[in-house]
Structures are given as C-alpha cells and as structure tokens.
Amino acid sequence: MFNVDNLPVIISVNDKDYVFFKDRIKIKDYTLIKDSDIYNTINYDGWRYQQIIKMNFYRLNFSEYYLSLDSDSFFIRNFTLSDFVIDNIPKLVKHNSEFFLKSIYNLGLDTDNLFYKKSLEAVKQLMQSSDSEIFDYGPSPYLWDTKIWKLFFEDYLMNETIEAFFYKLDAIYMPSENAIYGEYVNKILHKNYIS
C-alpha cells in the first residue's frame, strides 16, 4: 500500500513452500519466484541460506539496483524510488551506530561484542581490509547495486564458491551479507574499480 511509485516487487520463497505461498499471498502486483530460480546453494542452514539467495539475486538481471527486504521488514509510510536512489546512484547506508551504541551502553550492556561489530571484523579480516573503522551497514532493508555483487562473485571470489567463502567466514564469526557488501564496496572504491 505504501509503494506509490509502483516499483516492481519480487517475492522469493523456498522451492518446497512455493505452492503454499502462491495460494495464499493476497497482495497484487508482485512476482513470486522460487529460490532455485535465483541460485542453487548447498548451504541449507536457514539463516546462511537466505543470505546467499539474497546476494545472488543480481543473477536474474531484473534491475540495476534492488532493495532486499527480510520477511520481518515492513514499510510504515509511502516510499518512492527517490528514497533509495539519487541521480541514479543507490544510497549506501553506512554509519557508526552512535545512538544505538549509546543506548546499549546506558542500559549497562556490552557494546564491544555486538553482532554487527563482530561480523564486520570477521569480514574485514577475511578481505584483508586495512581500514580499522567499524561501521554498521544496516539496518534492513538493504539497497544493493547488481554491479557490486557481480564484481564480488566474478572478480573477488573468482573460482571460490560462496559456500566456501561462508565456511571461512564462519570459522572467524557469523556472516552478515550487509557487512560483506559494505566492506566490498569500500574495497573496490579504494581500487578504483567503479566510479
């Protein structure tokens, strides 16, 4: 109801749940696809599986940019394309979580071992980032440029599978697709791969 620009909506579901969702989704103007239409992964751990599917959506060549929403994300007001893209450049959410960290600290909770920090540190270690700054690239939904994911899979991973990459990342800490995307953007901007 808040999609005032009538931006295309694609809903991806597990293959085994496709018919269930097809019979029950009551909204109009959407396309329902199976996850296998995007990518076939051998990682069936639910949380990692959905990250791998979302990261591979670019393979559909559906659009130049896509907004990736988790099932627990929802809009509370009207939105338009201009909320996400300026001069045909997608907005990258990147911040230091100052308000969130202050709130956690005021509650007397540990601010050093938060998921986004630990996951980001793991991604930085695996990507051999020289940047020591800790940024939060969330919250969901995430706006992604298909060129970034294509470069990540074809130039960074090359002959390595995403499952192998996740396995190495898991050996350090749990993976986070938005940390992978954000840090890879930083990496390629430093190498001047894209403008």
Side-chain angles (χ1 to χ4, degrees), residues 1-184:
M1 86 173 84
F2 298 116
N3 186 5
V4 294
D5 276 353
N6 293 315
L7 300 172
V9 175
I10 294 180
I11 300 173
S12 170
V13 297
N14 295 324
D15 289 27
K16 66 182 173 62
D17 296 327
Y18 179 80
V19 172
F20 176 86
F21 278 91
K22 186 172 190 210
D23 292 343
R24 287 169 177 81
I25 294 179
K26 302 298 183 202
I27 62 172
K28 59 180 183 170
D29 299 328
Y30 74 95
T31 301
L32 181 68
I33 62 173
K34 297 175 183 175
D35 288 347
S36 64
D37 292 335
I38 298 172
Y39 186 76
N40 283 309
T41 180
I42 59 171
N43 189 327
Y44 295 110
D45 169 75
W47 188 57
R48 287 155 184 81
Y49 170 88
Q50 56 91 20
Q51 290 186 56
I52 291 170
I53 296 298
K54 289 187 292 187
M55 292 167 68
N56 278 280
F57 181 83
Y58 82 92
R59 295 177 188 277
L60 294 180
N61 294 316
F62 175 75
S63 64
E64 192 173 355
Y65 312 117
Y66 61 101
L67 188 67
S68 177
L69 285 91
D70 290 332
S71 60
D72 60 352
S73 298
F74 55 93
F75 291 98
I76 59 173
R77 65 170 179 83
N78 289 346
F79 64 90
T80 65
L81 182 63
S82 64
D83 288 313
F84 308 107
V85 178
I86 299 175
D87 296 329
N88 205 33
I89 298 172
K91 297 178 183 179
L92 173 64
V93 174
K94 178 181 177 180
H95 56 96
N96 62 11
S97 280
E98 184 177 339
F99 179 77
F100 175 67
L101 292 173
K102 191 173 191 176
S103 298
I104 294 294
Y105 177 80
N106 288 340
L107 291 170
L109 301 173
D110 182 8
T111 59
D112 292 328
N113 292 304
L114 296 168
F115 169 77
Y116 86 89
K117 284 184 173 185
K118 302 299 272 180
S119 183
L120 182 66
E121 289 167 355
V123 170
K124 284 179 173 290
Q125 181 180 332
L126 194 58
M127 289 188 178
Q128 299 176 337
S129 172
S130 58
D131 180 6
S132 62
E133 291 190 81
I134 300 297
F135 288 107
D136 188 351
Y137 294 102
S140 170
Y142 310 117
L143 181 61
W144 290 330
D145 185 331
T146 58
K147 291 189 303 288
I148 302 296
W149 283 127
K150 185 173 172 57
L151 280 169
F152 174 77
F153 281 95
E154 295 178 8
D155 290 350
Y156 181 77
L157 290 184
M158 289 187 271
N159 297 321
E160 181 179 32
T161 67
I162 187 61
E163 292 84 2
F165 180 80
F166 266 48
Y167 180 76
K168 288 194 291 191
L169 195 51
D170 260 322
I172 305 168
Y173 195 74
M174 294 180 289
S176 167
E177 73 275 28
N178 64 320
I180 294 167
Y181 182 86
E183 283 305 300
Y184 190 65

